[in-house]
Amino acid sequence: MALPGRGILLVVLVSVFWALATISVMVRVWSRWIKRQPMMFNDYAIFGALLFTAGIAISNIIAVAQGGIGSHLLETTHDQQIASQKIYTEVWILQVVANTFVRLSFLDLLRRIFKVRAFVNAVWVVMGLSIAYFVGCFITFFALCRPFAYNWDITIKDGECGDRYLPFLLSAIFNLLLDFAIILLPLPVLWRLQLKTGKKIALTAVFGVGIVVCVMTILRTVAVVDFNPPSAKKDFTYTVFYDALWSSLEPSLGVVNACLPLFPPVMQSVGASPFFSRLKSMLTNTGAVSSSGKASYKLGSASEWSSNHHNNQAWSKLKESNASGNQSIDTMPLTSIQASNLGSGKRATVPNVPYDIEISHTIEVREDMTRGPDRV
């Protein structure tokens, strides 16, 4: 039997976002290695979150392959229905555990970054609420149905369950409130720091990426409400799609969000690698012409500029493309030559001339200027 389109889409999306979470954790570990920092509690917590998100991803794959998720209920067998119900009963608790690890990791990281007593106390309070949320969900999970297997097999004789809709809805709402609290928590402290406004905005954006997680939580809450009507439950394997999707993506995005503040060391290391340094050099050494006719040519080091400035044969003239009579570089007035500091390298020996020189002249450029056999 071919897999349903909805099921394939669920597997692809969940797998892709789990892969992003895995890459984020790898970058996090790389960052710790670059800074020569030991692993901390927030690192171990995120490892736990990644492990449980892997369990969620694997569970979704099994639910599609063996539980008929994505197909209409009438197209599935009784065994598939039992399997899918059992899998998503387990996924709910996996999702709760994964989200709790994500929150504890992010909060511990904030506690180590912003060492303000009032803020640290607030972090401990939210940590306590996160743990209370986990305990409440865990107790509800095991106490809701008697016997426990009645969660997925309603054919069991004398089995009974309480109202399953209300606990799931309250869980989603409390989950959302915790996410918003964690996003807003560092902002007052962050904006009181003695930093440039641009830096504050950048840091706010990094910490505020968690708003995407909140969007996922909102969508999951809506999915829980939509899944409650009896008409939706009668086609469980088909209508559970959105609830399964948002419940699976939320912890994966949470892992990514918790790792983002540790990305800068890796980004700086990669940017300073020979490949990117060479690429940057190629880009800065290439004459770029804008639509307004602004041409820039990097001449290299000041010593090279000093020697080449006296070498009339170092430059070849710009070829005229029409009768407009464009000037060549060696006949331009001195006022057309501008020097600018393009890098942070060593200073040149030529007085008042920075290490990198740029010549700018607003002319109509039809062909590139070359110095000897090489392009400037």
Side-chain angles (χ1 to χ4, degrees), residues 7 14 31 35 57 66 115 168 176 192 284 307 319 322 333 341 346 353 359:
V14 170
S31 177
K35 302 295 288 185
Q66 299 182 6
K115 297 183 179 180
F168 281 111
L176 179 63
R192 285 199 295 268
T284 55
S307 61
K319 297 180 180 179
N322 52 31
N341 188 359
K346 59 185 179 180
V353 180
I359 290 181

Side-chain angles (χ1 to χ4, degrees), residues 28 41-43 45-46 49 97-111 123-124 126-132 134 182 258:
R28 182 192 191 101
F41 170 77
N42 51 74
D43 299 307
I46 212 66
V97 177
N99 280 338
T100 300
F101 273 122
V102 168
R103 293 191 184 102
L104 293 178
S105 173
F106 193 71
L107 288 168
D108 183 67
L109 182 65
L110 291 178
R111 180 180 65 86
V123 167
W124 285 119
V126 179
M127 274 187 170
L129 291 174
S130 298
I131 295 173
F134 166 74
I182 293 172

Side-chain angles (χ1 to χ4, degrees), residues 50-176:
L50 184 65
L51 178 64
F52 281 97
T53 55
I56 294 172
I58 294 171
S59 297
N60 277 285
I61 294 173
I62 296 173
V64 172
Q66 299 182 6
I69 295 300
S71 302
H72 289 286
L73 195 68
L74 294 177
E75 300 172 350
T76 61
T77 65
H78 177 71
D79 290 341
Q80 286 180 314
Q81 296 166 19
I82 295 296
S84 59
Q85 291 275 6
K86 184 176 183 179
I87 289 169
Y88 281 116
T89 300
E90 297 168 353
V91 165
W92 183 65
I93 195 64
L94 289 175
Q95 192 248 5
V96 170
V97 177
N99 280 338
T100 300
F101 273 122
V102 168
R103 293 191 184 102
L104 293 178
S105 173
F106 193 71
L107 288 168
D108 183 67
L109 182 65
L110 291 178
R111 180 180 65 86
R112 295 175 186 276
I113 294 175
F114 303 106
K115 297 183 179 180
V116 180
R117 175 171 293 183
F119 176 78
V120 171
N121 291 337
V123 167
W124 285 119
V125 170
V126 179
M127 274 187 170
L129 291 174
S130 298
I131 295 173
Y133 163 78
F134 166 74
V135 173
C137 289
F138 201 81
I139 293 173
T140 301
F141 176 74
F142 287 102
L144 197 58
C145 294
R146 286 284 182 256
F148 184 69
Y150 197 72
N151 277 286
W152 57 83
D153 187 2
I154 60 176
T155 63
I156 297 176
K157 188 177 181 179
D158 297 328
E160 62 177 358
C161 282
D163 183 4
R164 289 192 284 186
Y165 169 68
L166 185 60
F168 281 111
L169 181 61
L170 291 178
S171 169
I173 292 174
F174 195 69
N175 201 33
L176 179 63

Side-chain angles (χ1 to χ4, degrees), residues 5 15 20 34 36 51 72 99 112 122 135 175 201 214 221 252 279 296 301-302 310 315 335 345 362 372 376:
S15 300
L20 291 175
I34 291 173
R36 298 294 190 269
L51 178 64
H72 289 286
N99 280 338
R112 295 175 186 276
V135 173
N175 201 33
I201 293 174
C214 291
T221 305
S252 292
L279 180 62
S296 298
S301 68
H310 299 288
W315 301 95
T335 54
T362 304
V376 178

Side-chain angles (χ1 to χ4, degrees), residues 23-35 259-273 276:
I23 293 171
S24 298
V25 172
M26 293 171 65
V27 172
R28 182 192 191 101
V29 173
W30 188 4
S31 177
R32 292 292 192 200
W33 181 81
I34 291 173
K35 302 295 288 185
C259 293
L260 280 178
L262 282 81
F263 277 21
V266 172
M267 296 172 65
Q268 293 168 6
S269 177
V270 172
S273 65
F276 283 96

Side-chain angles (χ1 to χ4, degrees), residues 300-321:
S301 68
S303 58
E304 291 175 345
W305 181 83
S306 178
S307 61
N308 290 332
H309 180 65
H310 299 288
N311 185 358
N312 293 328
Q313 296 181 353
W315 301 95
S316 61
K317 295 182 179 181
L318 288 172
K319 297 180 180 179
E320 294 182 358
S321 59

